[in-house]
Protein backbone atom coordinates (compact mmCIF):
# COMPACT_ATOMS: atom_id res chain seq x y z
CA UNK A 1 0.00 0.00 0.00
CA UNK A 2 1.39 3.41 -0.87
CA UNK A 3 2.14 5.79 1.97
CA UNK A 4 -0.56 8.17 0.86
CA UNK A 5 -3.28 5.49 0.87
CA UNK A 6 -2.02 4.34 4.24
CA UNK A 7 -2.09 7.82 5.70
CA UNK A 8 -5.51 8.48 4.18
CA UNK A 9 -6.79 5.29 5.79
CA UNK A 10 -5.05 6.01 9.10
CA UNK A 11 -6.53 9.48 9.09
CA UNK A 12 -9.92 7.92 8.53
CA UNK A 13 -9.48 5.92 11.74
CA UNK A 14 -8.64 2.45 10.40
CA UNK A 15 -6.06 0.74 12.58
CA UNK A 16 -3.27 -1.45 11.23
CA UNK A 17 -2.13 -4.42 13.25
CA UNK A 18 0.71 -6.52 11.89
CA UNK A 19 1.86 -8.57 14.91
CA UNK A 20 0.95 -12.21 14.41
CA UNK A 21 -0.27 -11.64 10.86
CA UNK A 22 1.30 -13.89 8.23
CA UNK A 23 4.00 -12.51 5.96
CA UNK A 24 1.95 -13.62 2.97
CA UNK A 25 -0.99 -11.47 4.02
CA UNK A 26 1.09 -8.57 5.30
CA UNK A 27 2.67 -8.15 1.87
CA UNK A 28 -0.63 -7.81 0.00
CA UNK A 29 -3.05 -4.90 -0.07
CA UNK A 30 -6.71 -4.37 -0.74
CA UNK A 31 -6.64 -3.08 -4.27
CA UNK A 32 -7.12 0.65 -4.72
CA UNK A 33 -10.15 -0.27 -6.85
CA UNK A 34 -11.95 -1.21 -3.62
CA UNK A 35 -10.14 1.28 -1.34
CA UNK A 36 -11.21 4.39 -3.23
CA UNK A 37 -14.97 3.66 -2.85
CA UNK A 38 -14.30 2.94 0.86
CA UNK A 39 -12.68 6.34 1.28
CA UNK A 40 -15.48 7.92 -0.76
CA UNK A 41 -18.13 6.35 1.46
CA UNK A 42 -17.01 8.78 4.17
CA UNK A 43 -17.66 11.79 1.95
CA UNK A 44 -20.94 13.30 0.78
CA UNK A 45 -22.04 13.49 -2.85
CA UNK A 46 -19.28 11.67 -4.76
CA UNK A 47 -19.75 10.57 -8.38
CA UNK A 48 -17.89 7.51 -9.51
CA UNK A 49 -15.65 6.69 -12.42
CA UNK A 50 -14.03 4.21 -10.04
CA UNK A 51 -14.89 0.58 -9.44
CA UNK A 52 -16.15 -1.31 -12.49
CA UNK A 53 -19.75 -1.76 -11.43
CA UNK A 54 -22.04 -1.45 -14.45
CA UNK A 55 -25.26 0.45 -13.88
CA UNK A 56 -27.56 -2.30 -15.23
CA UNK A 57 -29.90 -4.28 -12.99
CA UNK A 58 -29.84 -8.08 -13.31
CA UNK A 59 -32.29 -8.96 -16.14
CA UNK A 60 -35.79 -9.82 -14.85
CA UNK A 61 -35.87 -13.39 -16.20
CA UNK A 62 -32.80 -14.21 -14.10
CA UNK A 63 -34.29 -12.64 -10.97
CA UNK A 64 -37.57 -14.46 -11.61
CA UNK A 65 -35.87 -17.85 -11.92
CA UNK A 66 -34.21 -17.31 -8.54
CA UNK A 67 -37.46 -16.15 -6.87
CA UNK A 68 -39.17 -19.26 -8.19
CA UNK A 69 -36.34 -21.52 -6.98
CA UNK A 70 -36.33 -19.94 -3.52
CA UNK A 71 -40.07 -20.56 -3.19
CA UNK A 72 -40.31 -24.00 -4.76
CA UNK A 73 -36.95 -25.77 -4.77
CA UNK A 74 -35.62 -26.76 -1.35
CA UNK A 75 -32.18 -27.47 -2.86
CA UNK A 76 -31.77 -23.77 -3.64
CA UNK A 77 -30.73 -23.26 -0.01
CA UNK A 78 -28.25 -26.14 0.13
CA UNK A 79 -24.68 -26.84 -0.91
CA UNK A 80 -24.36 -28.10 -4.46
CA UNK A 81 -21.70 -30.53 -5.66
CA UNK A 82 -18.25 -28.93 -5.33
CA UNK A 83 -17.78 -28.26 -9.07
CA UNK A 84 -21.31 -26.91 -9.31
CA UNK A 85 -24.79 -28.05 -10.38
CA UNK A 86 -24.53 -30.64 -13.16
CA UNK A 87 -27.10 -28.83 -15.31
CA UNK A 88 -25.21 -25.57 -15.05
CA UNK A 89 -21.92 -27.21 -16.03
CA UNK A 90 -23.66 -28.76 -19.04
CA UNK A 91 -25.09 -25.36 -20.01
CA UNK A 92 -21.60 -23.82 -19.66
CA UNK A 93 -20.10 -26.53 -21.89
CA UNK A 94 -22.80 -25.95 -24.53
CA UNK A 95 -22.20 -22.21 -24.33
CA UNK A 96 -18.41 -22.59 -24.77
CA UNK A 97 -18.97 -24.90 -27.73
CA UNK A 98 -21.58 -22.69 -29.40
CA UNK A 99 -19.94 -19.31 -28.82
CA UNK A 100 -16.25 -20.16 -29.13
CA UNK A 101 -15.98 -23.68 -30.53
CA UNK A 102 -14.28 -24.80 -27.31
CA UNK A 103 -14.90 -28.38 -26.27
CA UNK A 104 -15.11 -28.72 -22.48
CA UNK A 105 -16.20 -31.90 -20.66
CA UNK A 106 -18.85 -30.67 -18.19
CA UNK A 107 -18.13 -33.41 -15.63
CA UNK A 108 -14.32 -33.18 -15.67
CA UNK A 109 -13.16 -29.85 -16.98
CA UNK A 110 -15.47 -27.18 -15.55
CA UNK A 111 -15.86 -25.88 -12.03
CA UNK A 112 -18.35 -23.16 -11.07
CA UNK A 113 -16.68 -20.65 -8.76
CA UNK A 114 -17.41 -17.66 -6.54
CA UNK A 115 -16.94 -15.20 -9.39
CA UNK A 116 -13.98 -15.20 -11.73
CA UNK A 117 -12.07 -13.88 -8.72
CA UNK A 118 -12.14 -17.20 -6.90
CA UNK A 119 -11.30 -19.02 -10.14
CA UNK A 120 -8.27 -16.76 -10.64
CA UNK A 121 -7.06 -17.08 -7.05
CA UNK A 122 -7.44 -20.87 -7.18
CA UNK A 123 -5.62 -20.99 -10.52
CA UNK A 124 -2.69 -18.95 -9.22
CA UNK A 125 -2.46 -20.93 -5.97
CA UNK A 126 -2.48 -24.12 -8.04
CA UNK A 127 0.45 -23.30 -10.30
CA UNK A 128 2.61 -20.85 -8.32
CA UNK A 129 5.02 -21.84 -5.56
CA UNK A 130 6.99 -19.51 -3.30
CA UNK A 131 9.53 -17.58 -5.39
CA UNK A 132 8.04 -18.57 -8.76
CA UNK A 133 7.82 -15.78 -11.29
CA UNK A 134 4.61 -14.83 -13.04
CA UNK A 135 4.59 -12.56 -16.07
CA UNK A 136 2.01 -9.80 -15.98
CA UNK A 137 1.46 -7.05 -18.52
CA UNK A 138 1.85 -3.60 -16.99
CA UNK A 139 -0.49 -1.93 -16.37
CA UNK A 140 -2.66 -4.86 -15.37
CA UNK A 141 -5.74 -5.74 -13.30
CA UNK A 142 -4.62 -4.99 -9.74
CA UNK A 143 -6.02 -8.17 -8.20
CA UNK A 144 -3.85 -10.38 -10.41
CA UNK A 145 -0.84 -8.79 -8.72
CA UNK A 146 -2.18 -9.47 -5.23
CA UNK A 147 -3.12 -13.03 -6.15
CA UNK A 148 0.46 -13.74 -7.24
CA UNK A 149 1.81 -12.20 -4.03
CA UNK A 150 -0.66 -14.19 -1.93
CA UNK A 151 0.77 -17.35 -3.49
CA UNK A 152 4.22 -15.98 -2.53
CA UNK A 153 5.08 -15.68 -6.20
CA UNK A 154 6.97 -12.82 -7.81
CA UNK A 155 5.12 -10.58 -10.30
CA UNK A 156 7.32 -9.74 -13.27
CA UNK A 157 5.90 -6.74 -15.08
CA UNK A 158 6.27 -6.45 -18.83
CA UNK A 159 5.15 -3.06 -20.17
CA UNK A 160 2.38 -2.92 -22.74
CA UNK A 161 3.11 -0.75 -25.76
CA UNK A 162 2.54 2.83 -24.54
CA UNK A 163 1.14 3.91 -27.94
CA UNK A 164 -1.69 1.41 -28.09
CA UNK A 165 -1.51 -0.73 -24.91
CA UNK A 166 -0.93 -3.85 -27.01
CA UNK A 167 1.08 -6.88 -25.83
CA UNK A 168 4.82 -6.89 -26.37
CA UNK A 169 5.42 -10.62 -26.67
CA UNK A 170 9.11 -10.21 -27.50
CA UNK A 171 9.61 -8.36 -24.22
CA UNK A 172 7.65 -11.13 -22.48
CA UNK A 173 10.00 -13.71 -24.00
CA UNK A 174 12.99 -11.76 -22.71
CA UNK A 175 11.43 -11.70 -19.22
CA UNK A 176 11.12 -15.50 -19.00
CA UNK A 177 13.65 -17.14 -16.64
CA UNK A 178 13.99 -20.69 -15.29
CA UNK A 179 11.74 -19.56 -12.39
CA UNK A 180 8.87 -18.41 -14.63
CA UNK A 181 5.75 -20.54 -14.18
CA UNK A 182 2.93 -18.66 -15.77
CA UNK A 183 1.64 -15.71 -17.76
CA UNK A 184 -1.62 -14.06 -16.71
CA UNK A 185 -3.47 -12.21 -19.42
CA UNK A 186 -6.85 -10.60 -19.33
CA UNK A 187 -8.48 -9.77 -22.67
CA UNK A 188 -10.24 -7.39 -23.33
CA UNK A 189 -8.03 -5.69 -20.88
CA UNK A 190 -8.75 -4.06 -17.57
CA UNK A 191 -7.52 -1.31 -16.97
CA UNK A 192 -6.60 -0.11 -20.48
CA UNK A 193 -9.61 -1.20 -22.57
CA UNK A 194 -7.26 -2.84 -25.10
CA UNK A 195 -8.49 -5.72 -27.21
CA UNK A 196 -5.31 -7.69 -27.83
CA UNK A 197 -4.37 -8.68 -31.39
CA UNK A 198 -4.86 -12.29 -32.40
CA UNK A 199 -1.32 -12.49 -33.81
CA UNK A 200 0.16 -11.40 -30.46
CA UNK A 201 -2.00 -13.84 -28.53
CA UNK A 202 -0.88 -16.64 -30.84
CA UNK A 203 2.75 -15.60 -30.30
CA UNK A 204 2.15 -15.60 -26.54
CA UNK A 205 0.73 -19.14 -26.80
CA UNK A 206 3.80 -20.24 -28.77
CA UNK A 207 6.03 -18.74 -26.06
CA UNK A 208 4.12 -20.62 -23.36
CA UNK A 209 4.55 -23.90 -25.24
CA UNK A 210 8.22 -23.28 -25.98
CA UNK A 211 9.08 -22.30 -22.39
CA UNK A 212 6.67 -24.77 -20.74
CA UNK A 213 4.52 -22.15 -18.98
CA UNK A 214 0.93 -22.10 -17.81
CA UNK A 215 -1.35 -19.43 -19.25
CA UNK A 216 -4.06 -18.06 -17.01
CA UNK A 217 -6.58 -16.41 -19.32
CA UNK A 218 -8.98 -14.03 -17.60
CA UNK A 219 -11.97 -13.89 -19.97
CA UNK A 220 -14.20 -11.70 -17.81
CA UNK A 221 -14.84 -9.25 -20.68
CA UNK A 222 -14.83 -11.70 -23.61
CA UNK A 223 -18.28 -10.51 -24.77
CA UNK A 224 -17.38 -6.83 -24.65
CA UNK A 225 -15.52 -5.47 -27.67
CA UNK A 226 -16.43 -2.30 -29.56
CA UNK A 227 -16.41 -1.07 -33.15
CA UNK A 228 -17.37 -4.55 -34.38
CA UNK A 229 -13.95 -5.92 -33.41
CA UNK A 230 -13.83 -9.68 -32.82
CA UNK A 231 -12.48 -11.10 -29.56
CA UNK A 232 -9.85 -13.80 -29.83
CA UNK A 233 -9.84 -16.33 -27.04
CA UNK A 234 -6.60 -18.07 -26.07
CA UNK A 235 -8.71 -20.97 -24.84
CA UNK A 236 -9.52 -21.88 -28.46
CA UNK A 237 -5.90 -22.83 -29.18
CA UNK A 238 -5.43 -26.62 -29.11
CA UNK A 239 -1.70 -26.28 -28.41
CA UNK A 240 -2.57 -24.74 -25.03
CA UNK A 241 -4.98 -27.52 -24.06
CA UNK A 242 -3.05 -28.85 -21.04
CA UNK A 243 -1.47 -25.58 -20.00
CA UNK A 244 -4.31 -23.07 -20.07
CA UNK A 245 -6.59 -22.20 -17.19
CA UNK A 246 -9.41 -20.02 -18.50
CA UNK A 247 -11.60 -18.10 -16.08
CA UNK A 248 -15.01 -16.65 -16.90
CA UNK A 249 -17.50 -14.41 -15.14
CA UNK A 250 -21.22 -13.82 -15.14
CA UNK A 251 -20.69 -10.46 -13.44
CA UNK A 252 -20.47 -8.05 -16.34
CA UNK A 253 -22.02 -10.07 -19.15
CA UNK A 254 -25.33 -10.55 -17.34
CA UNK A 255 -25.18 -7.63 -14.90
CA UNK A 256 -24.63 -10.01 -12.00
CA UNK A 257 -21.69 -8.50 -10.10
CA UNK A 258 -23.36 -9.08 -6.74
CA UNK A 259 -24.26 -12.71 -7.35
CA UNK A 260 -20.60 -13.73 -7.22
CA UNK A 261 -20.56 -16.49 -9.76
CA UNK A 262 -18.13 -17.47 -12.50
CA UNK A 263 -16.34 -20.59 -13.66
CA UNK A 264 -13.00 -22.06 -14.58
CA UNK A 265 -12.19 -24.34 -17.49
CA UNK A 266 -9.01 -26.40 -17.53
CA UNK A 267 -7.99 -29.88 -18.65
CA UNK A 268 -8.96 -32.67 -16.28
CA UNK A 269 -5.57 -33.17 -14.60
CA UNK A 270 -5.23 -29.45 -13.88
CA UNK A 271 -8.84 -28.97 -12.80
CA UNK A 272 -8.48 -31.84 -10.28
CA UNK A 273 -5.77 -29.78 -8.57
CA UNK A 274 -7.69 -26.51 -8.76
CA UNK A 275 -10.66 -28.29 -7.19
CA UNK A 276 -8.64 -28.88 -4.01
CA UNK A 277 -8.21 -25.13 -3.56
CA UNK A 278 -11.85 -24.51 -4.44
CA UNK A 279 -12.93 -27.04 -1.80
CA UNK A 280 -10.64 -25.52 0.82
CA UNK A 281 -11.82 -21.95 0.29
CA UNK A 282 -15.41 -22.10 -0.96
CA UNK A 283 -16.87 -25.68 -0.92
CA UNK A 284 -19.10 -24.58 -3.79
CA UNK A 285 -20.43 -21.40 -5.37
CA UNK A 286 -23.71 -20.20 -3.76
CA UNK A 287 -26.60 -22.39 -4.96
CA UNK A 288 -28.91 -19.42 -5.64
CA UNK A 289 -26.23 -17.78 -7.75
CA UNK A 290 -25.77 -20.98 -9.73
CA UNK A 291 -29.51 -20.99 -10.39
CA UNK A 292 -29.21 -17.40 -11.58
CA UNK A 293 -26.25 -18.34 -13.82
CA UNK A 294 -28.25 -21.19 -15.35
CA UNK A 295 -31.15 -18.85 -16.10
CA UNK A 296 -28.66 -16.42 -17.66
CA UNK A 297 -27.27 -19.06 -20.02
CA UNK A 298 -30.60 -20.68 -20.88
CA UNK A 299 -32.56 -17.43 -21.23
CA UNK A 300 -32.69 -14.84 -24.01
CA UNK A 301 -29.29 -13.38 -24.88
CA UNK A 302 -30.50 -9.96 -26.10
CA UNK A 303 -29.49 -8.45 -22.75
CA UNK A 304 -25.82 -9.08 -23.59
CA UNK A 305 -26.04 -7.19 -26.90
CA UNK A 306 -27.94 -4.40 -25.13
CA UNK A 307 -25.26 -4.03 -22.46
CA UNK A 308 -22.58 -3.97 -25.16
CA UNK A 309 -24.47 -1.31 -27.15
CA UNK A 310 -25.01 0.96 -24.15
CA UNK A 311 -21.38 0.62 -23.04
CA UNK A 312 -20.14 1.45 -26.52
CA UNK A 313 -22.19 4.67 -26.42
CA UNK A 314 -20.73 5.44 -22.98
CA UNK A 315 -17.25 4.80 -24.38
CA UNK A 316 -17.98 7.39 -27.07
CA UNK A 317 -19.30 9.82 -24.49
CA UNK A 318 -16.33 9.59 -22.13
CA UNK A 319 -13.88 9.88 -25.03
CA UNK A 320 -15.52 13.01 -26.41
CA UNK A 321 -15.69 14.50 -22.90
CA UNK A 322 -12.00 13.73 -22.35
CA UNK A 323 -11.14 15.31 -25.69
CA UNK A 324 -12.18 18.61 -24.08
CA UNK A 325 -9.48 18.02 -21.43
CA UNK A 326 -6.65 17.61 -23.96
CA UNK A 327 -4.49 20.08 -22.05
CA UNK A 328 -4.50 17.73 -19.07
CA UNK A 329 -4.92 14.16 -20.32
CA UNK A 330 -4.16 11.93 -23.27
CA UNK A 331 -5.60 8.44 -23.66
CA UNK A 332 -5.84 5.41 -25.96
CA UNK A 333 -9.41 4.86 -27.16
CA UNK A 334 -10.74 1.67 -25.51
CA UNK A 335 -11.74 -1.18 -27.85
CA UNK A 336 -13.19 -3.40 -25.15
CA UNK A 337 -14.12 -3.74 -21.46
CA UNK A 338 -15.26 -0.42 -19.95
CA UNK A 339 -12.17 1.30 -18.70
CA UNK A 340 -9.62 3.73 -19.97
CA UNK A 341 -6.34 4.97 -18.64
CA UNK A 342 -6.19 8.77 -18.73
CA UNK A 343 -2.57 9.86 -18.87
CA UNK A 344 -1.76 13.06 -17.04
CA UNK A 345 0.19 15.22 -19.46
CA UNK A 346 1.56 17.38 -16.65
CA UNK A 347 4.63 15.56 -15.24
CA UNK A 348 5.38 15.15 -11.58
CA UNK A 349 1.89 14.53 -10.21
CA UNK A 350 1.62 11.04 -8.72
CA UNK A 351 -1.46 9.07 -9.68
CA UNK A 352 -2.33 8.53 -6.02
CA UNK A 353 -2.12 12.24 -5.20
CA UNK A 354 -4.23 13.07 -8.23
CA UNK A 355 -6.87 10.45 -7.40
CA UNK A 356 -7.01 11.52 -3.74
CA UNK A 357 -7.28 15.19 -4.65
CA UNK A 358 -9.98 14.52 -7.23
CA UNK A 359 -11.83 12.58 -4.56
CA UNK A 360 -11.46 15.06 -1.72
CA UNK A 361 -11.68 18.30 -3.66
CA UNK A 362 -13.84 17.46 -6.69
CA UNK A 363 -15.77 14.51 -5.20
CA UNK A 364 -14.97 12.32 -8.20
CA UNK A 365 -13.87 8.73 -7.62
CA UNK A 366 -11.11 7.52 -9.94
CA UNK A 367 -8.52 4.79 -9.45
CA UNK A 368 -4.81 5.71 -9.22
CA UNK A 369 -2.95 4.08 -12.08
CA UNK A 370 -0.05 2.99 -9.85
CA UNK A 371 -2.36 0.28 -8.46
CA UNK A 372 -2.12 -1.49 -11.82
CA UNK A 373 1.66 -1.84 -11.97
CA UNK A 374 4.61 0.47 -12.70
CA UNK A 375 3.37 1.59 -16.13
CA UNK A 376 0.11 2.71 -14.51
CA UNK A 377 1.84 5.66 -12.80
CA UNK A 378 0.99 9.06 -14.33
CA UNK A 379 -2.49 7.70 -15.14
CA UNK A 380 -5.86 7.45 -13.50
CA UNK A 381 -8.24 4.68 -14.50
CA UNK A 382 -11.72 5.81 -15.46
CA UNK A 383 -14.60 3.34 -15.64
CA UNK A 384 -17.49 4.14 -17.97
CA UNK A 385 -19.79 1.47 -16.57
CA UNK A 386 -21.91 4.10 -14.77
CA UNK A 387 -24.87 6.07 -16.09
CA UNK A 388 -24.35 8.71 -18.80
CA UNK A 389 -25.47 11.40 -16.35
CA UNK A 390 -22.76 10.31 -13.89
CA UNK A 391 -20.10 10.34 -16.58
CA UNK A 392 -21.12 13.83 -17.69
CA UNK A 393 -21.20 15.14 -14.11
CA UNK A 394 -17.87 13.55 -13.18
CA UNK A 395 -16.10 15.00 -16.22
CA UNK A 396 -17.67 18.41 -15.56
CA UNK A 397 -16.35 18.38 -12.00
CA UNK A 398 -12.93 17.22 -13.14
CA UNK A 399 -12.75 19.97 -15.74
CA UNK A 400 -13.73 22.65 -13.21
CA UNK A 401 -11.21 21.30 -10.69
CA UNK A 402 -8.39 21.04 -13.22
CA UNK A 403 -9.03 24.59 -14.42
CA UNK A 404 -8.49 25.80 -10.83
CA UNK A 405 -5.05 24.13 -10.54
CA UNK A 406 -1.71 25.72 -11.30
CA UNK A 407 -0.80 23.11 -13.96
CA UNK A 408 -2.20 22.95 -17.46
C1 LIG B 1 -10.22 -8.35 -15.22
C2 LIG B 1 -11.15 -8.81 -14.17
N1 LIG B 1 -11.07 -10.08 -13.76
C3 LIG B 1 -11.89 -10.53 -12.79
C4 LIG B 1 -12.83 -9.73 -12.21
C5 LIG B 1 -13.71 -10.27 -11.13
O1 LIG B 1 -14.85 -10.86 -11.71
P1 LIG B 1 -15.95 -11.54 -10.80
O2 LIG B 1 -16.94 -10.49 -10.42
O3 LIG B 1 -16.55 -12.60 -11.67
O4 LIG B 1 -15.26 -12.13 -9.62
C6 LIG B 1 -12.95 -8.39 -12.59
C7 LIG B 1 -13.91 -7.49 -11.97
O5 LIG B 1 -13.96 -6.32 -12.17
C8 LIG B 1 -12.08 -7.93 -13.62
O6 LIG B 1 -12.13 -6.67 -14.05
Amino acid sequence: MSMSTRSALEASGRIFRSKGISRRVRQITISAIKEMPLLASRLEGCVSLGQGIPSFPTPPHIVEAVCHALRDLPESGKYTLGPGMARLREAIAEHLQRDKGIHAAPDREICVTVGAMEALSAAVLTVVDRGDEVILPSPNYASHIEQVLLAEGVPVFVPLGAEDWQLDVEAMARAVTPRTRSIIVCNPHNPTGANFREADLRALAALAVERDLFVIADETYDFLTFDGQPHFSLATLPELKDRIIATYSFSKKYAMTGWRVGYVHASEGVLDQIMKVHDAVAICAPAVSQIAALAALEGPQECVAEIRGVLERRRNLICSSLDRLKGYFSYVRPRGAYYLMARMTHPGVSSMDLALRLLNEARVITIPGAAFGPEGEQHIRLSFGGLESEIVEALKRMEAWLDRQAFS
Side-chain angles (χ1 to χ4, degrees):
M1 180 180 305
S2 81
M3 284 315 289
S4 24
T5 321
R6 183 179 289 272
S7 34
L9 290 172
E10 276 170 350
S12 70
R14 294 177 60 193
I15 295 156
F16 290 84
R17 178 200 154 98
S18 57
K19 190 166 175 289
I21 304 299
S22 73
R23 191 167 47 103
R24 148 179 356 95
V25 167
R26 268 187 282 129
Q27 58 156 359
I28 69 168
T29 66
I30 294 182
S31 95
I33 303 173
K34 327 295 188 308
E35 287 292 2
M36 293 303 285
L38 269 177
L39 293 175
S41 68
R42 299 184 170 85
L43 300 171
E44 291 285 304
C46 294
V47 274
S48 183
L49 300 175
Q51 195 175 358
I53 307 178
S55 61
F56 315 99
T58 305
H61 65 276
I62 299 176
V63 174
E64 201 39 58
V66 172
C67 292
H68 163 75
L70 284 171
R71 271 192 312 265
D72 300 335
L73 295 178
E75 58 269 34
S76 61
K78 297 183 177 151
Y79 293 131
T80 68
L81 292 173
M85 288 161 36
R87 202 167 132 208
L88 174 57
R89 280 179 284 133
E90 276 156 26
I92 289 170
E94 277 163 29
H95 165 82
L96 287 175
Q97 183 71 58
R98 195 181 51 238
D99 276 29
K100 297 174 185 258
I102 295 172
H103 177 73
D107 51 340
R108 285 168 286 126
E109 295 183 332
I110 290 169
C111 174
V112 183
T113 54
V114 183
M117 203 62 142
E118 192 229 332
L120 286 159
S121 304
V124 173
L125 285 167
T126 300
V127 301
V128 176
D129 267 325
R130 175 181 294 179
D132 285 349
E133 294 171 6
V134 178
I135 294 188
L136 301 172
S138 171
N140 198 50
Y141 181 49
S143 296
H144 294 161
I145 306 169
E146 305 309 326
Q147 286 160 346
V148 172
L149 293 171
L150 188 60
E152 300 185 86
V154 180
V156 175
F157 295 107
V158 176
L160 293 171
E163 305 289 289
D164 55 3
W165 295 130
Q166 288 291 321
L167 292 170
D168 183 347
V169 182
E170 282 177 16
M172 283 180 160
R174 287 194 298 275
V176 174
T177 75
R179 288 308 307 259
T180 310
R181 288 288 165 273
S182 173
I183 304 173
I184 304 182
V185 62
C186 151
N187 185 44
H189 190 237
N190 179 1
T192 64
N195 181 28
F196 295 138
R197 285 188 286 261
E198 177 175 338
D200 292 335
L201 292 165
R202 285 185 182 275
L204 184 153
L207 173 67
V209 173
E210 187 193 321
R211 303 302 298 266
D212 194 17
L213 308 175
F214 272 101
V215 174
I216 298 176
D218 179 344
E219 301 277 291
T220 296
Y221 300 98
D222 60 354
F223 70 102
L224 192 52
T225 57
F226 305 133
D227 309 315
Q229 286 197 348
H231 168 258
F232 182 74
S233 177
L234 281 165
T236 58
L237 293 175
E239 63 268 35
L240 290 183
K241 173 91 179 103
D242 292 320
R243 61 177 75 251
I244 187 161
I245 303 173
T247 67
Y248 299 87
S249 173
F250 289 88
S251 288
K252 319 289 167 120
K253 188 169 181 177
Y254 297 102
M256 287 172 57
T257 52
W259 295 87
R260 312 304 308 121
V261 60
Y263 60 97
V264 52
H265 170 220
S267 65
E268 184 176 1
V270 177
L271 194 79
D272 281 351
Q273 303 299 323
I274 294 175
M275 283 298 305
K276 295 191 232 169
V277 185
H278 173 66
D279 183 51
V281 301
I283 303 180
C284 64
V288 280
S289 301
Q290 294 191 48
I291 290 163
L294 182 62
L297 289 180
E298 288 185 340
Q301 298 300 301
E302 286 78 9
C303 54
V304 180
E306 249 169 63
I307 289 175
R308 191 186 301 115
V310 173
L311 288 173
E312 183 157 347
R313 287 198 293 281
R314 290 180 189 169
R315 188 277 312 258
N316 297 344
L317 172 66
I318 199 163
C319 287
S320 56
S321 310
L322 267 179
D323 288 343
R324 288 202 317 271
L325 302 184
K326 269 206 182 85
Y328 304 108
F329 293 112
S330 63
Y331 66 94
V332 178
R333 192 174 177 81
R335 303 290 180 191
Y338 48 83
Y339 309 98
L340 67 75
M341 289 290 266
R343 181 175 176 77
M344 190 72 185
T345 45
H346 183 84
V349 183
S350 88
S351 62
M352 179 55 88
D353 285 345
L354 179 62
L356 286 174
R357 290 194 63 196
L358 281 171
L359 176 65
N360 289 315
E361 296 167 26
R363 297 286 197 262
V364 178
I365 311 173
T366 62
I367 309 295
F372 303 98
E375 274 63 33
E377 192 43 277
Q378 280 285 125
H379 297 78
I380 47 174
R381 191 197 73 173
L382 309 181
S383 157
F384 47 94
L387 294 170
E388 281 82 347
S389 55
E390 289 168 332
I391 296 172
V392 169
E393 176 62 22
L395 267 293
K396 207 169 85 189
R397 290 185 192 187
M398 279 171 68
E399 186 170 9
W401 182 85
L402 286 159
D403 285 345
R404 288 198 301 273
Q405 308 311 307
F407 46 80
S408 64

